[in-house]
Amino acid sequence: VQLQASGGGLVQPGGSLRLSCAGSGITLRDHNVGWFRQAPGKKREGISCFSSSDGRTYYTDSVKGRFTISRDTTKRTVYLQMNSLKPEDTAVYYCATDFEQRCGSSWYHWSRYDYWGQGTQVTVSS
């Protein structure tokens, strides 16, 4: 099983990026997919989750209204659309999956996820 996160880059404040999470050896539509980020010197932070069974989406407060998680089942890819980016969004972004049916109340706990992508760097700077 492999996950690959891509789409990161350098963007100015207020700009947008779309991250992609693709899976091989795993069918993403059958698994919750979470997005996490980790900035230098900080803990890994759960920022969003797409629930496999009911399509519910979850966001941490700091990204609500700016980020949107979605799933393309035909391409077996999960996306994270990030708009109105801020310098504090700068981090390495990771996608991850687990074997739960729903994201649920613990979706932001990184320890429950079983497979992780390699991370993609997002830098928001002028």
Side-chain angles (χ1 to χ4, degrees), residues 5 34-38 44 92-96 116-120:
W35 281 99
F36 290 76
R37 67 186 179 187
Q38 189 165 18
R44 189 168 297 189
V92 178
Y93 283 69
Y94 302 87
C95 61
W116 290 82
Q118 84 288 0
T120 184

Side-chain angles (χ1 to χ4, degrees), residues 51-94:
S51 187
S52 64
S53 62
D54 56 15
R56 288 187 65 181
T57 57
Y58 299 77
Y59 301 94
T60 193
D61 287 346
S62 62
V63 308
K64 283 181 181 177
R66 301 189 297 123
F67 291 11
T68 303
I69 191 171
S70 62
R71 182 176 68 188
D72 183 335
T73 56
T74 62
K75 294 184 179 180
R76 301 185 176 184
T77 303
V78 172
Y79 301 101
L80 185 69
Q81 178 67 42
M82 306 188 297
N83 299 328
S84 302
L85 283 162
K86 304 176 182 180
E88 51 263 43
D89 294 318
T90 296
V92 178
Y93 283 69
Y94 302 87

Side-chain angles (χ1 to χ4, degrees), residues 1-74:
V1 174
Q2 288 188 331
L3 297 179
Q4 183 170 3
S6 61
L10 173 64
V11 64
Q12 292 185 343
S16 299
L17 284 173
R18 188 177 77 160
L19 305 184
S20 299
C21 178
S24 60
I26 188 170
T27 303
L28 288 185
R29 64 174 180 265
D30 296 332
H31 297 266
N32 301 320
V33 175
W35 281 99
F36 290 76
R37 67 186 179 187
Q38 189 165 18
K42 294 189 176 181
K43 295 180 180 179
R44 189 168 297 189
E45 175 189 21
I47 55 174
S48 187
C49 186
F50 191 101
S51 187
S52 64
S53 62
D54 56 15
R56 288 187 65 181
T57 57
Y58 299 77
Y59 301 94
T60 193
D61 287 346
S62 62
V63 308
K64 283 181 181 177
R66 301 189 297 123
F67 291 11
T68 303
I69 191 171
S70 62
R71 182 176 68 188
D72 183 335
T73 56
T74 62

